[in-house]
Structure formats: structure tokens, C-alpha cells
Amino acid sequence: MDLLKDIASLSPVEVRHLIRAGKFTKPTSGLASGYTQANLVILPKALAYDFLLFAQRNPRPCPILEVSDVGSRELHKFAQDIDLANDFPRYRIYRNGIFTDEVTSVADYWQDDLVSFLIGCSFSFESELIAAGIEIRHITEGVNVPMYNTSIPLESAGKFHGNMVVSMRPIPENQVVTAVNVTAAMPKVHGAPIQIGDPKSIGITDISKPDYGDPVTIKPGEIPVFWPCGVTPQNAIMQVKPEFVITHAPGHMLVTDIKNTVLKYE
Amino acid sequence: MDLLKDIASLSPVEVRHLIRAGKFTKPTSGLASGYTQANLVILPKALAYDFLLFAQRNPRPCPILEVSDVGSRELHKFAQDIDLANDFPRYRIYRNGIFTDEVTSVADYWQDDLVSFLIGCSFSFESELIAAGIEIRHITEGVNVPMYNTSIPLESAGKFHGNMVVSMRPIPENQVVTAVNVTAAMPKVHGAPIQIGDPKSIGITDISKPDYGDPVTIKPGEIPVFWPCGVTPQNAIMQVKPEFVITHAPGHMLVTDIKNTVLKYE
């Protein structure tokens, strides 16, 4: 049986069941096409107010899709029949800011004081860009999107502060306006670009050397376009070195019941 | 000197200085035309997480513009040169859910644990509707907007729960689409209508008897259009009967430095 071929046709809840049962532990790119996938940050309640406020003050890099109730492994809005401790294919555990474990379930790590934050992800707008006829270079080249630290300061909130991390996609000059329009309509998944064509102005000195992810080819006639990136909140959290944090493993997202199109009208 | 005529031409910061000096204590409607005005809720830090989460889960009726740092009387984004304890013309003090005082300054009531929430207000979208050629009936008739309790349940968060409160504006049939488009572009100030033309479907049995504000004339050929209303969060708070809450007095808002037009692109 070709599991990957099979899984591509499953509904979001069927994907979650498969993952929950430990039968799928790979990246979620391409699963349940058209449905929103989400990043995860799980923090103890003691840090939840500062983090929620940090996200409120920095909605472009930190678009909150949903926040769980304290201690709950369920959601109200983005998924029914959901177990936050099992429905991501892979999780990462950090203690005092240090990455200690990568696991396929965090049921054994669960604490009654944990709060889960689901954060919007650029997967959602990339599928809309492709639908609009725009090539996504890192997908074509089969690598991770290039991401860069910038000099753009964030609004701090309590313990959380830092600069914005951005992702870059090379866009042909005559498609830049389309790329702006498509993504501006989706503020819940980072929205419009934050910079177009001038990496130095946001503190990026060498575009061939991303700080995270992989470099991609920028062809003649293409403009590097920069979007706020979901690595931003994870970065800000790690600088605080909290006693205990759980995140999803990169690329191993939650497949939700909400379609990307619906996010435009939230 | 005609203070009202004079004040209409002042900048937002000049308005705030006048109010701060105790020289203007009236409703702020019409002041600093084009600039966003904001509702206020001040709560002790102990309730701030639940309230911020309640707003995150119910952004249509509770659009947060900005949250102060704990104990601070300043803002980072919506106003420079601001004193939250003096720059609203009138405040209301509630103790254990009971309205105890209306004052022009809350400096004497200030506590180090207070958090101020600035909430978007329909003043912002009404000026855009007028610019689009739509008559706002309660302004024409010189009364307060009619507001109604509904059967639309809110997402609860910690201590906070309840149903949505809506405001109603009668709109000529051939302008309803324009009214939807204009307000949908302003999600930070309640956004698009929540119901068009069928009050019973949201639990409103007698449109001539609003629960708050005043009734207005609905002419033949006009449709009652309902928007999420900023009374919603105040209602939810009063049901919790917190030990101590400060709000603005109705109509006595903060005049901010941010133009309504800018809110569309936030």
C-alpha cells in the first residue's frame, strides 16, 4: 500500500486519526489539500499572558489561530475530534531553552497548567499563490523556505522581545502585485509582504545565506519578496529560556478542519 | 470663545491635552475628524489573561486595538503623549459589578496592577459609511445608536462568557452591499455586519425596543442591518462582577493618533 498516496486523499480528521495512532510521523506538507495547517507552541500558564499579549502586539509574524483552555488537549474552533498531545506527527521538547527531545506524542509530558497556541503558517498562503499562477521556488527546488533574521524590532510584551524573522520567495517582477494582493487578503497567515526587493533595508546582508532553511535560486527579473515568518515567536520564546516548552517539529504541523479560503473572511 | 468650534479643528494630541487639563468633559463625537476613537476597559492583572483570551476568541464584538503594560498609563502604538488616567473626558468606576462613580480623572484610583484595554469603536466605520454616501439614521435623528441583546453565543474564556450585543443601522436596500463592503474592510472596528434583515433569527423580538441606546426610524425600503457591538465586552465583564473595573463613560472616548484609514491596513 502506498500510504503517502492514500493519505493525500484523506480528510483532516482522518489524517489526525492516522497520526494519533502513530501511523504517520512525516512532514504534513500536501496533506488534506486546501485545509489550514497550524504551528504549535505549548507553554505553562505562567507565561501565557505575556505570550498572548506578544502575539496581539505582533500579529503579522505571530497570527494566533486559536488558544486552548488551560490544561485542555482539545480545541473549540479549528478542529473537532482532536488530541493536541498526539495529533501532530512530531513534537520538540525544550527545557530551559535547550532542545532535549523529539517525540511523536507528548501525552507523557502533559501538565495541567499547559496552554496550547496554534499559530498561522505560510503553507496556507503558498497554496493560494500557486492557485494564482505563482511558482514557489523552494517547492520547485524541493527545499525548505529560506528564512532570515532582520533588524525589524518587534513590540515587546513582558518577558518576550526580539526582531522579526522573515521568509523569502523570489517573485517575477510582473507577478509582485498579484503576490501582494493574494497574501494581503490572508492576515491570519502573515498577510502581505513586509519588504519587497531591498533585503539590506531590513538588515539582511547576504541573501544567499539564510539563517534558517535553505537558499533558493533567484533568477534574472525576479525580486526577493519578504514575508513575516512563524519562526519569529519560537525565536522570541527561546530567548526567554522558559523552564518547559513544547513545539511542533519543523514541517510537522496540525491539519485543521478549517479551509484556507475561510481564513480570508475571519 | 466657542470652545466646541475651536476644539473641532484641534489635532488628537491637542484634544488630549485639553481633556487632561480638565477643560473638556463632553462626548468626543466629531472631534479630530478622521482619527480613530477607542473604548476603554481597565481591569486588574488577575483578570487580564481571561479577558485578552475572550477578546481573541471573539474579535468581531471585541476588537482589541492595544493593551497597556501592567500598571502603565501610557501606550506604544495608538498614542504618544498620553495619560490613560486623564485623557478620556469621563470614566466610570465599578466595584463588584456595581456602578459607583463617574469621574473626569482616575488618577486617584490608579493601582500598579491595572491593565488598560483599548477596544475599537463603530465611530470609525460610521465616518467611512458616511463618506460612501450612506446616511447614519441615529446621527440624523440626534440619538444614540440602537443596541440589542441577541441569542448569538460568544466563545467563553475563563470567567468570561455571554451572548453578543449588536448595533443596528437601517440601510436602504440598494446600499446594503456598499455598507457590507465598507465595514468588511475594517475588521479592527467590528468589520462586516453579523446579520442583515432578519432580527428574529438572532433573538431580537421587537426592533422598536432596543436594550441599550435609542430606537430609530426604519423607512420603507430600508433593511435593518446588525453589526457586532462594543457593548458586548462590557456586558461580559459586568456579569463576572469583578472587584474593580474602570471603563470610559458612554460616548466619552479616547481620541488616538491613528487615522481610521490606517486601521484598514493593519
Side-chain angles (χ1 to χ4, degrees), chain B residues 2-5 7 15 18-20 22-31 37 86-91 102-104 123 248-255:
Chain B
D2 183 339
L3 181 63
L4 262 173
K5 193 178 165 192
I7 200 176
V15 170
L18 207 62
I19 291 170
R20 196 178 308 167
K23 293 179 180 164
F24 185 84
T25 58
K26 295 198 181 322
T28 49
S29 176
L31 298 192
Q37 298 198 12
N86 283 304
D87 289 2
F88 289 72
R90 289 183 179 275
Y91 301 81
E102 185 167 300
V103 295
T104 57
F123 281 12
H248 68 290
H252 297 70
M253 324 291 274
L254 180 71
V255 178

Side-chain angles (χ1 to χ4, degrees), chain B residues 159-204:
Chain B
K159 291 187 167 63
F160 298 100
H161 60 92
N163 286 356
M164 193 183 294
V165 178
V166 297
S167 60
M168 188 278 286
R169 292 161 190 82
I171 308 286
E173 274 185 53
N174 66 355
Q175 290 187 307
V176 169
V177 170
T178 302
V180 171
N181 279 331
V182 167
T183 55
M186 305 182 79
K188 281 285 188 184
V189 287
H190 302 304
I194 198 87
Q195 214 294 316
I196 297 173
D198 186 5
K200 283 198 176 52
S201 74
I202 55 172
I204 299 172

Side-chain angles (χ1 to χ4, degrees), chain A residues 45 48-49 52-53 56-57 64-69 76 115 155, chain B residues 45 48-49 52-53 56-57 64-69 76 115 155:
Chain A
K45 171 67 164 66
Y49 178 73
L52 184 55
L53 184 59
Q56 194 280 331
R57 289 180 176 174
I64 298 284
L65 297 178
E66 183 163 356
V67 184
S68 76
D69 291 324
H76 297 285
V115 180
E155 290 289 336
Chain B
K45 172 67 163 67
Y49 177 72
L52 184 56
L53 184 58
Q56 193 279 330
R57 289 181 177 174
I64 298 285
L65 297 177
E66 185 164 355
V67 183
S68 76
D69 291 324
H76 298 284
V115 180
E155 290 288 336

Side-chain angles (χ1 to χ4, degrees), chain A residues 34-240:
Chain A
Y35 288 89
T36 300
Q37 298 198 14
N39 296 302
L40 174 71
V41 168
I42 302 179
L43 287 169
K45 171 67 164 66
L47 284 169
Y49 178 73
D50 281 358
F51 184 67
L52 184 55
L53 184 59
F54 182 71
Q56 194 280 331
R57 289 180 176 174
N58 300 285
R60 299 292 311 284
C62 315
I64 298 284
L65 297 178
E66 183 163 356
V67 184
S68 76
D69 291 324
V70 180
S72 171
R73 286 157 58 169
E74 299 185 351
L75 295 171
H76 297 285
K77 185 173 170 185
F78 271 78
Q80 308 301 316
D81 188 349
I82 161 97
D83 177 2
L84 288 168
N86 282 305
D87 288 2
F88 289 72
R90 289 184 179 275
Y91 301 81
R92 289 188 168 181
I93 313 290
Y94 295 81
R95 294 188 185 278
N96 304 307
I98 296 166
F99 172 39
T100 59
D101 293 290
E102 185 167 300
V103 293
T104 58
S105 164
V106 291
D108 292 343
Y109 295 84
W110 206 260
Q111 303 170 184
D112 284 346
D113 70 336
L114 295 180
V115 180
S116 298
F117 296 84
L118 291 195
I119 300 171
C121 154
S122 58
F123 281 11
S124 295
F125 76 64
E126 288 182 349
S127 65
E128 296 279 313
L129 287 170
I130 291 167
I134 294 175
E135 181 206 341
I136 304 295
R137 183 64 36 80
H138 62 272
I139 295 180
T140 310
E141 298 189 342
V143 296
N144 200 351
V145 66
M147 294 165 277
Y148 305 85
N149 295 320
T150 73
S151 56
I152 304 168
L154 300 168
E155 290 289 336
S156 61
K159 292 186 166 64
F160 297 101
H161 59 91
N163 286 355
M164 193 183 294
V165 177
V166 296
S167 60
M168 188 278 286
R169 291 162 191 80
I171 307 285
E173 274 185 55
N174 64 356
Q175 291 187 306
V176 169
V177 169
T178 301
V180 171
N181 279 331
V182 167
T183 55
M186 305 184 79
K188 282 285 187 183
V189 286
H190 302 303
I194 198 87
Q195 215 293 317
I196 296 172
D198 187 5
K200 283 200 175 53
S201 74
I202 54 173
I204 300 171
T205 49
D206 186 348
I207 203 158
S208 71
K209 291 185 181 149
D211 297 293
Y212 321 87
D214 303 302
V216 297
T217 310
I218 303 178
K219 298 180 182 170
E222 291 180 343
I223 311 286
V225 180
F226 300 90
W227 277 268
C229 176
V231 169
T232 308
Q234 294 204 8
N235 240 20
I237 289 169
M238 295 317 161
Q239 285 173 32
V240 172

Side-chain angles (χ1 to χ4, degrees), chain B residues 28-63:
Chain B
T28 49
S29 176
L31 298 192
S33 177
Y35 288 90
T36 300
Q37 298 198 12
N39 296 302
L40 174 69
V41 168
I42 303 180
L43 287 170
K45 172 67 163 67
L47 284 169
Y49 177 72
D50 282 357
F51 185 66
L52 184 56
L53 184 58
F54 182 71
Q56 193 279 330
R57 289 181 177 174
N58 300 283
R60 300 292 310 284
C62 315

